[in-house]
Amino acid sequence: MTTLLKNCTLANKLNVNITITDGTITAIGNQTKADKIIDIKGKTVLPGIIDSHVHFREPGGEQKEDWLTGSMAAVAGGVTTVIDMPNNDPPITDLATLNKKRKLTKKSLVNFGFFFGATTNNIEEVRKVSGIAGIKIYVGSSTGNLLVAQDDDIKKLMEIPNINWVIHAEDEELIRKNSQQISENSNSAIHSQIRNRQVAMKGVERVIDLAKETNARIHICHISTAEEVSLIKKAKNANLQITCEVSPHHLFLNDGAYEKFGNFVKVNPPLRTKKDNEALLKGLNDGIIDIIATDHAPHTIKEKETPYHDAPAGIPEVQTSLPLMLNEVNKGTITIEQLIEIMSAQPAKLFSLQNKGLIAEGYDADITVVDMDKKQIINKEMLLSKCGWSPYENMKITGWPVMTFVNGNLVYDQGKINQQFKGREITYGKI
Ligand code: DOR
Ligand code: ZN
């Protein structure tokens, strides 16, 4: 079965035709024949967006999200591949539990991969595991019970060669100290004080030092402050194997949002200042921040409406990250070429995803078609995550995904989802 996408606008070329044969891109040029022809005229074609940081909550958090609803939100947001975090219930810290989780992904409409969780006592499992994108270390605690807070334990892990260590770098000791000192009230804004910028800086500093000692390759998740950008720049200049990501909420929301959203914008690491928003955007522009990854972390409205201390941290993001970034392209803050790099090409490279992240012959036909001129307000009705809310509701966005092809199948087409096609597990090259 061949499909021809006719008259595509790629970032750097106009009027290109793309042939897809059995899920693979087989020709790019001016070929005209195929079993099925779709005219893409006037729309821009991107390699499918890869979101390397999502929490789709199965197993254990099905009231918040599952693999069907999470992947519906993904595909409607132009995302064709996700990599899911291990802080499930039970956590994904042994091979048997990972294999059980693999079975739950049968409903996923997008391609998927997994991170495996490190603990203080699963080093043998960490050594054995394969077919994953990397090992997650929670240096500071967050949702779930994964935590490796002590340098000695982190170092023992990082001494294992050929692993991409993916790190939640908040300093646990400082979080605990701050929580004791800051008296609790019901104001969610104290979240940014308990987990203040020093918490994030110290976490990043510590793992950079440990990476120096062990020669490990590290990826820092969701950096949130200007200081982390500087620390990572310095480490990159010293030739450490370090990469990092930023999440949309740290680019587009700041501590001014507590007043309106309360616990709905409680997230780890927390929202910072407008200045940090700007420094992070600059970090992306300068190439110090390698990728955008959403940290899509849905929680129900009911859970978020509990008092500060009880409300879980996390914000749903997978459906809105591409629109938010397309809106930035339209504003002129970043270019469409940069967007492709940070949302598809680089995530594929960084996690060694085979045949993903490019529109090129031989690559998987994961393709996102966007209408750069489409204007629409983000509204509740369009949100497909099971949690059913977004802090970006009512924002007017210019630039929207209109079609999403996963493995050559048109799974999302202008508001409609075709659930007949399922995603598959990604494969990895050597790191
Ligand atoms: O705010 C967060 N929520 N940060 C994390 O690190 C985990 C996530 C979740 O799983 O809820
Ligand atoms: Zn996360």
Side-chain angles (χ1 to χ4, degrees):
M1 159 84 181
T2 55
T3 307
L4 186 79
L5 309 187
K6 210 173 87 176
N7 299 320
C8 300
T9 301
L10 300 182
N12 52 359
K13 276 192 224 127
L14 291 176
N15 287 323
V16 177
N17 293 351
I18 299 172
T19 305
I20 300 169
T21 311
D22 300 328
T24 301
I25 298 172
T26 47
I28 300 173
N30 52 14
Q31 67 285 3
T32 52
K33 294 209 175 75
D35 300 328
K36 185 175 164 194
I37 295 176
I38 303 174
D39 196 347
I40 306 289
K41 202 172 173 61
K43 311 281 188 292
T44 300
V45 172
L46 315 175
I49 301 305
I50 298 169
D51 188 347
S52 63
H53 190 151
V54 304
H55 300 265
F56 278 2
R57 304 299 190 202
E58 258 190 300
E62 294 81 358
Q63 79 280 14
K64 305 171 197 275
E65 195 77 285
D66 61 48
W67 276 93
L68 178 62
T69 55
S71 67
M72 282 166 66
V75 87
V79 173
T80 53
T81 296
V82 296
I83 312 183
D84 194 62
M85 285 297 166
N87 60 337
N88 296 104
D89 185 12
I92 312 303
T93 52
D94 64 85
L95 303 181
T97 310
L98 172 64
N99 287 331
K100 274 193 204 151
K101 178 168 170 175
R102 283 198 158 100
K103 297 205 173 97
L104 302 170
T105 56
K106 288 208 172 75
K107 345 185 236 300
S108 178
L109 307 180
V110 295
N111 299 318
F112 53 86
F114 308 101
F115 291 108
F116 191 79
T119 70
T120 49
N121 59 15
N122 75 340
I123 202 155
E124 284 316 312
E125 297 285 316
V126 168
R127 279 185 209 281
K128 276 191 291 192
V129 68
S130 63
I132 49 151
I135 308 278
K136 179 86 182 260
I137 305 179
Y138 285 85
V139 171
S141 57
S142 194
T143 305
N145 58 5
L146 289 173
L147 181 64
V148 186
Q150 302 298 328
D151 281 1
D152 286 355
D153 292 318
I154 302 168
K155 193 170 165 194
K156 258 187 237 148
L157 287 161
M158 281 193 186
E159 278 164 351
I160 308 171
N162 302 323
I163 287 180
N164 200 357
W165 301 100
V166 175
I167 301 177
H168 182 116
E170 288 187 288
D171 186 81
E172 185 66 12
E173 204 185 304
L174 211 46
I175 297 172
R176 289 194 185 159
K177 214 169 111 207
N178 290 345
S179 347
Q180 280 159 7
Q181 278 172 5
I182 296 164
S183 68
E184 267 201 20
N185 51 34
S186 57
N187 185 352
S188 338
I190 62 165
H191 198 58
S192 290
Q193 292 164 28
I194 292 175
R195 293 178 181 249
N196 61 11
R197 52 202 310 118
Q198 281 75 24
V199 165
M201 279 155 59
K202 187 159 176 217
V204 170
E205 260 166 3
R206 278 177 56 210
V207 292
I208 287 177
D209 284 346
L210 292 167
K212 270 189 203 147
E213 284 178 42
T214 55
N215 259 327
R217 171 177 169 172
I218 55 171
H219 174 77
I220 313 283
C221 292
H222 39 52
I223 66 166
S224 58
T225 62
E227 291 89 335
E228 287 163 278
V229 180
S230 304
L231 286 169
I232 289 165
K233 182 176 178 185
K234 208 168 128 210
K236 284 188 167 183
N237 288 340
N239 283 329
L240 275 160
Q241 298 187 75
I242 183 168
T243 55
C244 68
E245 72 195 30
V246 65
S247 305
H249 44 276
H250 292 127
L251 289 172
F252 299 114
L253 300 172
N254 53 55
D255 47 13
Y258 286 118
E259 203 182 320
K260 182 161 174 209
F261 295 111
N263 292 329
F264 284 84
V265 291
K266 177 181 177 185
V267 61
N268 300 332
L271 301 181
R272 308 293 183 194
T273 65
K274 193 156 192 309
K275 272 209 168 119
D276 291 299
N277 296 151
E278 287 157 11
L280 293 166
L281 200 56
K282 183 165 186 307
L284 262 182
N285 256 313
D286 294 346
I288 297 159
I289 301 175
D290 301 87
I291 63 170
I292 291 191
T294 64
D295 194 12
H296 174 77
H299 296 285
T300 65
I301 292 175
K302 207 168 150 212
E303 289 163 338
K304 282 291 198 180
E305 279 175 348
T306 54
Y308 167 73
H309 184 78
D310 304 321
I315 301 175
E317 300 270 353
V318 74
Q319 190 175 347
T320 43
S321 72
L322 177 62
L324 285 167
M325 294 312 293
L326 291 172
N327 197 45
E328 291 302 306
V329 172
N330 274 320
K331 285 202 285 189
T333 329
I334 65 159
T335 65
I336 192 79
E337 287 86 357
Q338 281 174 312
L339 182 148
I340 292 169
E341 278 296 305
I342 59 184
M343 299 190 84
S344 187
Q346 291 282 22
K349 267 193 217 142
L350 227 138
F351 297 106
S352 312
L353 312 188
Q354 279 185 327
N355 301 325
K356 300 223 174 285
L358 286 182
I359 295 196
E361 280 174 35
Y363 277 67
D364 295 340
D366 292 343
I367 294 173
T368 300
V369 179
V370 302
D371 180 346
M372 290 306 296
D373 301 321
K374 182 174 173 183
K375 291 184 174 41
Q376 193 168 345
I377 291 171
I378 298 177
N379 61 56
K380 229 184 194 41
E381 292 67 48
M382 70 169 70
L383 299 173
L384 298 173
S385 166
K386 200 185 275 186
C387 73
W389 61 274
S390 162
Y392 308 109
E393 279 166 50
N394 301 321
M395 221 174 129
K396 188 172 181 189
I397 298 282
T398 309
W400 283 88
V402 288
M403 284 184 214
T404 311
F405 293 85
V406 183
N407 308 317
N409 300 311
L410 183 54
V411 180
Y412 175 78
D413 186 8
Q414 299 170 78
K416 289 195 198 74
I417 289 185
N418 187 339
Q419 289 191 25
Q420 169 197 347
F421 304 111
K422 304 294 178 210
R424 49 181 185 237
E425 188 167 351
I426 50 191
T427 55
Y428 307 89
K430 272 209 163 51
I431 78 156

